[in-house]
């Protein structure tokens, strides 16, 4: 699965104006799932940013309907342009989480017909984390599955996990292959290997192992892993801080060096 992602209109410094490791990780994991995971199912991505890679993978794997949403109109427009550029059948629209929570988002995203809701690197503050959890609760039905990429360095991830548990969602960690982690960390996920600097400039330098994938369901046969996940993220954050010799809150986005476009290969 190869995608061309354009950034030329995404120089505002918004977090969604660039590629993030969590999006690559979630898209890569989705690509490894069987076709039955998607066939006949309705998939919604929250906080898609400019790339909407997870929704794009779901569409190409056979989803009946894939929709990508972002709270910023400019990012939703760019994501829509990228879907059209790659001829991927993903519906893209602006969706403000606060509007969903306040029940004023009279859009098709609020239909509660979603089989799978996904998000990646969508949490940056405690308030934003709690709002995302409230938005998910408002959007999903009893049988909806939620899969998200959580970053250990992000403020609010603990509060998000706890809020989801409070709302009755049961959490379970999903595991990625070492091959996927290596392809992201090595830069091999980028199809254009002739210009490594160009590729590296459009995403953060955090290793793929600093993010984890989590699945939530209202009903599950396994025990809830929320407490374990909070501890795991804290350990990963400590390891990352020690390895980098930095404060865990520092992020080098490289936004000032965004190229016009890159090609990404998801296997």
């Amino acid at each position: 699965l190869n995608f061309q992602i354009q950034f030329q209109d995404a120089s505002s410094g918004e977090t969604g104006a660039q590629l993030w490791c969590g999006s690559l990780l979630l898209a890569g994991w989705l690509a490894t799932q069987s076709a039955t995971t998607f066939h006949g199912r309705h998939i919604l991505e929250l906080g898609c940013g400019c790339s909407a890679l997870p929704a794009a993978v779901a569409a190409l794997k056979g989803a009946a309907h894939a929709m990508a949403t972002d709270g910023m109109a400019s990012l939703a427009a760019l994501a829509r342009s990228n879907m059209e550029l790659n001829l991927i059948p993903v519906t893209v629209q602006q969706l403000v989480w606060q509007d969903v929570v306040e029940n004023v988002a009279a859009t098709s995203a609020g239909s509660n017909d979603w089989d799978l809701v996904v998000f990646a690197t969508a949490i940056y503050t405690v308030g934003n984390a709690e709002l995302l959890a409230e938005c998910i609760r408002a959007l999903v039905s009893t049988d909806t599955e939620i899969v998200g990429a959580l970053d250990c360095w992000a403020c609010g991830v603990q509060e998000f996990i706890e809020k989801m548990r409070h709302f009755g969602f049961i959490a379970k960690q999903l595991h990625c292959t070492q091959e996927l982690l290596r392809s992201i960390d090595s830069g091999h996920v980028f199809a254009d290997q002739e210009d490594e600097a160009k590729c590296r400039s459009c995403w953060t330098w955090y290793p793929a192992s600093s993010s984890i994938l989590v699945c939530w369901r209202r009903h599950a046969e396994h025990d809830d892993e929320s407490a374990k996940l909070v501890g795991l993220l804290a350990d990963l954050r400590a390891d990352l801080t020690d390895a980098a010799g930095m404060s865990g809150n520092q992020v080098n986005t490289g936004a000032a060096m965004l190229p016009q476009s890159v090609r990404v290969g998801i296997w």
Side-chain angles (χ1 to χ4, degrees), residues 159-194:
E159 288 79 4
F160 176 80
I161 293 173
E162 292 171 349
K163 195 78 168 179
M164 290 290 282
R165 178 54 181 160
H166 175 72
F167 288 154
F169 292 99
I170 300 171
K172 180 180 181 179
Q173 184 181 6
L174 302 175
H175 298 281
C176 299
T177 66
Q178 289 299 312
E179 180 182 6
L180 174 59
L181 297 176
R182 285 193 298 268
S183 71
I184 295 173
D185 288 341
S186 66
H188 289 166
V189 70
F190 295 105
D192 181 2
Q193 292 299 304
E194 295 182 358

Side-chain angles (χ1 to χ4, degrees), residues 169-242:
F169 292 99
I170 300 171
K172 180 180 181 179
Q173 184 181 6
L174 302 175
H175 298 281
C176 299
T177 66
Q178 289 299 312
E179 180 182 6
L180 174 59
L181 297 176
R182 285 193 298 268
S183 71
I184 295 173
D185 288 341
S186 66
H188 289 166
V189 70
F190 295 105
D192 181 2
Q193 292 299 304
E194 295 182 358
D195 191 350
E196 185 74 11
K198 169 187 170 183
C199 295
R200 294 281 183 183
S201 69
C202 63
W203 68 307
T204 64
W205 41 257
Y206 287 117
S209 58
S210 67
S211 300
I212 62 172
L213 295 180
V214 182
C215 174
W216 289 269
R217 296 175 181 269
R218 288 195 183 276
H219 304 288
E221 297 179 355
H222 57 80
D223 294 334
D224 180 61
E225 298 181 358
S226 294
K228 185 187 81 171
L229 294 172
V230 168
L232 173 61
L233 286 165
D235 291 342
L236 289 173
R237 183 185 179 96
D239 292 343
L240 181 66
T241 302
D242 291 342

Side-chain angles (χ1 to χ4, degrees), residues 18-265:
Q18 59 210 302
L19 274 178
W20 290 81
C21 182
S23 181
L24 295 169
L25 192 67
L26 177 56
W29 181 84
L30 289 169
T32 66
Q33 304 308 296
S34 67
T36 56
T37 303
F38 305 95
H39 283 177
R41 305 187 77 193
H42 293 72
I43 317 295
L44 173 67
E45 181 177 359
L46 298 173
C48 68
C50 66
S51 68
L53 276 177
V57 170
L60 292 176
K61 293 281 286 188
H65 179 213
M67 175 182 287
T69 64
D70 197 275
M72 298 293 297
S74 59
L75 293 177
L78 186 54
R80 185 180 303 110
S81 176
N82 278 321
M83 295 302 99
E84 294 171 352
L85 174 67
N86 291 278
L87 303 177
I88 301 175
V90 172
T91 303
V92 184
Q93 70 177 44
Q94 182 184 14
L95 185 70
V96 179
W97 298 345
Q98 187 67 47
D99 290 349
V100 175
V101 173
E102 295 176 355
N103 197 30
V104 297
T107 68
S108 55
S111 64
N112 297 98
D113 293 331
W114 304 108
D115 299 297
L116 174 64
V117 173
V118 299
F119 67 89
T121 311
I123 297 172
Y124 304 97
T125 68
V126 172
N128 155 265
E130 294 180 345
L131 185 59
L132 175 58
E134 291 172 1
C135 178
I136 289 173
R137 180 178 65 162
L139 285 172
V140 304
S141 65
T142 302
D143 298 323
T144 304
E145 181 182 7
I146 303 103
V147 176
L150 301 178
D151 309 297
C152 72
W153 46 264
C155 178
V157 288
Q158 176 178 338
E159 288 79 4
F160 176 80
I161 293 173
E162 292 171 349
K163 195 78 168 179
M164 290 290 282
R165 178 54 181 160
H166 175 72
F167 288 154
F169 292 99
I170 300 171
K172 180 180 181 179
Q173 184 181 6
L174 302 175
H175 298 281
C176 299
T177 66
Q178 289 299 312
E179 180 182 6
L180 174 59
L181 297 176
R182 285 193 298 268
S183 71
I184 295 173
D185 288 341
S186 66
H188 289 166
V189 70
F190 295 105
D192 181 2
Q193 292 299 304
E194 295 182 358
D195 191 350
E196 185 74 11
K198 169 187 170 183
C199 295
R200 294 281 183 183
S201 69
C202 63
W203 68 307
T204 64
W205 41 257
Y206 287 117
S209 58
S210 67
S211 300
I212 62 172
L213 295 180
V214 182
C215 174
W216 289 269
R217 296 175 181 269
R218 288 195 183 276
H219 304 288
E221 297 179 355
H222 57 80
D223 294 334
D224 180 61
E225 298 181 358
S226 294
K228 185 187 81 171
L229 294 172
V230 168
L232 173 61
L233 286 165
D235 291 342
L236 289 173
R237 183 185 179 96
D239 292 343
L240 181 66
T241 302
D242 291 342
M246 64 172 191
S247 164
N249 289 324
Q250 290 179 297
V251 181
N252 177 14
T253 63
M257 301 180 294
L258 283 173
Q260 286 192 341
S261 67
V262 297
R263 293 200 66 85
V264 177

